[in-house]
Amino acid sequence: MNGNKQMLQVRYTIILLCCVFCLPKSDLEKHLESKGVSLNFHQVTAEKTLVLSGRNVDSALVCMTVRKFPDLVFVQLVSAGIDDSVLPCLADLPDLRYLDISDSPVTVAGLVQLGSLQRLRTLVIRNCPNVDSDSLPQLAKLKNLESLELSAEEYEPAALKRLKENAYFDVRCGYSCELR
């Protein structure tokens, strides 16, 4: 009798394993796989953290991921192939507190869309070639920020000083300077 019970448990375990590993992949998983991008789903769900980088990451992939995980708090998209088209998707994340989109071609016009994010505290936009000294004053519209991190060498010192004077947040320029 004991042998039959063990045999049933083994069969049940095998059936469960087959069911788990034979589940169809979601559209997101298929898209990630086609781009050769890996995503730590535990980190995204448990830690509410999304970290994607590299040229295989595009705006469509980021938007698809963000829609699947709307409670993200920390998003880092450094050196990703994203542009302004991803910013409305990010603006739909009500709990987003930290956003790093360094090394991307986003513009200040796109970044201003993030003004609706009531909880966004830190924005990192180092090495963003389309954010220039003339457009820096527009960033002062992001009133909920506590910290904006830039690359100092990309901007005129006078423009950085004006931004600091008109902004409600700390402007940090990497290791080379810190304006307070």
Side-chain angles (χ1 to χ4, degrees), residues 1-177:
M1 186 66 125
N2 217 3
N4 286 339
K5 187 176 180 181
Q6 286 178 335
M7 184 63 121
L8 285 174
Q9 285 177 332
V10 168
R11 281 187 180 169
Y12 181 71
T13 302
I14 290 172
I15 290 170
L16 280 177
L17 286 172
C18 285
C19 289
V20 168
F21 289 108
C22 297
L23 290 174
K25 291 183 178 180
S26 70
D27 289 342
L28 174 60
E29 290 171 308
K30 289 176 189 174
H31 195 73
L32 286 165
E33 191 175 275
S34 73
K35 293 279 193 178
V37 176
S38 64
L39 181 64
N40 181 335
F41 283 95
H42 171 75
Q43 186 180 29
V44 174
T45 54
E47 299 174 21
K48 300 179 181 181
T49 297
L50 175 64
V51 178
L52 293 171
S53 64
R55 64 177 184 262
N56 290 343
V57 177
D58 59 17
S59 294
L61 176 67
V62 172
C63 286
M64 188 181 287
T65 306
V66 165
R67 280 188 216 106
K68 179 119 174 124
F69 303 102
D71 57 346
L72 291 168
V73 172
F74 181 102
V75 174
Q76 187 175 35
L77 304 169
V78 177
S79 299
I82 62 166
D83 55 27
D84 283 353
S85 66
V86 79
L87 297 173
C89 297
L90 296 172
D92 286 341
L93 296 173
D95 296 326
L96 187 62
R97 291 180 179 86
Y98 179 96
L99 177 60
D100 185 347
I101 49 177
S102 295
D103 299 313
S104 69
V106 297
T107 66
V108 169
L111 291 172
V112 171
Q113 297 177 54
L114 300 175
S116 65
L117 291 170
Q118 298 297 312
R119 295 186 175 175
L120 184 62
R121 298 297 179 252
T122 302
L123 176 62
V124 183
I125 52 170
R126 292 189 178 110
N127 303 316
C128 292
N130 295 328
V131 179
D132 60 14
S133 291
D134 293 334
S135 58
L136 281 181
Q138 294 296 313
L139 293 173
K141 294 178 181 177
L142 301 173
K143 301 209 182 288
N144 294 316
L145 280 185
E146 292 175 0
S147 174
L148 174 68
E149 296 182 24
L150 306 160
S151 300
E153 60 276 358
E154 295 180 29
Y155 307 101
E156 298 171 17
L160 288 169
K161 185 176 180 184
R162 276 192 309 278
L163 175 61
K164 178 58 184 158
E165 290 169 352
N166 295 312
Y168 296 93
F169 47 81
D170 285 335
V171 178
R172 297 186 180 161
C173 324
Y175 302 110
S176 58
C177 79

